[in-house]
Amino acid sequence: MIFSTVPTPATSAATLVALLVFLFPLAYSPGPGNAFFAALGASRGLRAALPALAGYHVATFVVAAFIGLGMGVTVLEHPLLATVLSAVGSLYVLWLAVTFVRSARTKGGSRTTAATRQDQRIGFRSGAIVLLLNPKAYYIIAVMFTQFLRPPDGGVVAVLVITIVFTLNNLVAFVAWAVGGRALTALFRSERSKRWIDYGFAAVLVGVAAWLAAPLFR
């Protein structure tokens, strides 16, 4: 597909407003990404969640741009690949849930060593992997471009504008969820309460893993 570089109606103010209205419920309503960052914010705090937030949204930008430019058809047209991504993504999120259980046990027991803290750290790479192994994110992005990009009028500029709006909207939403998770822990200051919060969010991540694995059982 050959794209023009001339700004199109996809970059108009009215279209951007419509895009934000379309994206708002997807980004701010409860979902796997929100749950992941709420759990991370509750357990580690917003500052500790920033590397994972950066990784998730750099991956979001790259994937959205590739799909918008017509390079994301591999995942969308090969159900087997989407199934593999679902399986691997589910297992990876389960592993992240284990890190929350380890964190809870650490709070309830001996001091956290440097090695233990490193083992429990969820950083840039983890955030990127959570996005890349979520095949449903690819479909959501594809639907977005179907609705708001109209080839041959849609050009590279339009793709990039939509991608940036999508990425920033998600980033703001997930920061809000991370802050909300942290606010929850502020209400329960005892070590015992924080330990049970970690266990609770570990259970949430198990739910996220089940959500990712759902296509495997259809």
Side-chain angles (χ1 to χ4, degrees), residues 5 9 15-16 29 40 45 60 63-64 88 90 111 118 129 132 142 151 172 199 217:
T5 57
T15 302
L16 290 180
S29 60
L40 190 55
T60 296
V63 169
V88 176
S90 178
R111 294 182 304 173
Q118 179 66 20
I129 291 174
L132 294 172
V172 171
Y199 283 131
F217 302 99

Side-chain angles (χ1 to χ4, degrees), residues 31-41 52 56 96 100 122 126-127 130 204-205 208:
N34 313 75
F36 173 71
F37 285 107
L40 190 55
Y56 187 98
L96 293 178
F100 280 81
I122 300 175
S126 297
V130 168
V204 169
L205 290 182
V208 171

Side-chain angles (χ1 to χ4, degrees), residues 7-8 10 18 25 28 55 60 64 82 86 88 102 105 149 170 175 182 205:
T8 71
Y28 289 88
T60 296
S86 295
V88 176
R102 290 177 178 174
R105 289 180 175 176
L149 190 67
N170 266 16
V175 167
R182 193 57 178 174
L205 290 182

Side-chain angles (χ1 to χ4, degrees), residues 2-217:
I2 299 176
F3 290 97
S4 69
T5 57
V6 179
T8 71
T11 62
S12 71
T15 302
L16 290 180
V17 170
L19 175 61
L20 287 172
V21 171
F22 170 80
L23 293 176
F24 185 88
L26 297 176
Y28 289 88
S29 60
N34 313 75
F36 173 71
F37 285 107
L40 190 55
S43 179
R44 317 291 164 84
L46 178 60
R47 180 176 296 181
L50 290 178
L53 280 163
Y56 187 98
H57 290 92
V58 167
T60 296
F61 181 88
V62 171
V63 169
F66 269 54
I67 291 177
L69 294 171
M71 303 176 188
V73 294
T74 301
V75 173
L76 299 176
E77 293 183 354
H78 292 78
L80 178 59
L81 180 56
T83 299
V84 171
L85 285 176
S86 295
V88 176
S90 178
L91 291 174
Y92 185 74
V93 173
L94 283 176
W95 178 83
L96 293 178
V98 170
T99 69
F100 280 81
V101 173
R102 290 177 178 174
S103 175
R105 289 180 175 176
T106 299
K107 290 174 182 175
S110 59
R111 294 182 304 173
T112 305
T113 64
T116 302
R117 286 194 299 269
Q118 179 66 20
D119 182 60
Q120 295 174 356
R121 189 168 66 88
I122 300 175
F124 183 96
R125 182 175 61 182
S126 297
I129 291 174
V130 168
L131 184 281
L132 294 172
L133 295 182
N134 180 5
K136 292 188 177 180
Y138 294 74
Y139 289 100
I140 290 172
I141 294 168
V143 169
M144 174 184 68
F145 280 113
T146 299
Q147 295 298 314
F148 295 96
L149 190 67
R150 295 288 189 272
D153 295 329
V156 173
V157 171
V159 169
L160 292 179
V161 169
I162 293 173
T163 297
I164 290 170
V165 170
F166 176 71
T167 303
L168 291 180
N169 182 70
N170 266 16
L171 177 60
V172 171
F174 289 1
V175 167
W177 276 82
V179 170
R182 193 57 178 174
L184 177 64
T185 63
L187 299 175
F188 304 95
R189 298 181 181 277
S190 70
E191 288 300 315
R192 181 179 180 182
S193 296
K194 292 178 181 178
R195 186 164 67 250
W196 280 105
I197 286 173
D198 276 347
Y199 283 131
F201 277 113
V204 169
L205 290 182
V206 171
V208 171
W211 187 91
L212 289 174
L216 302 176
F217 302 99

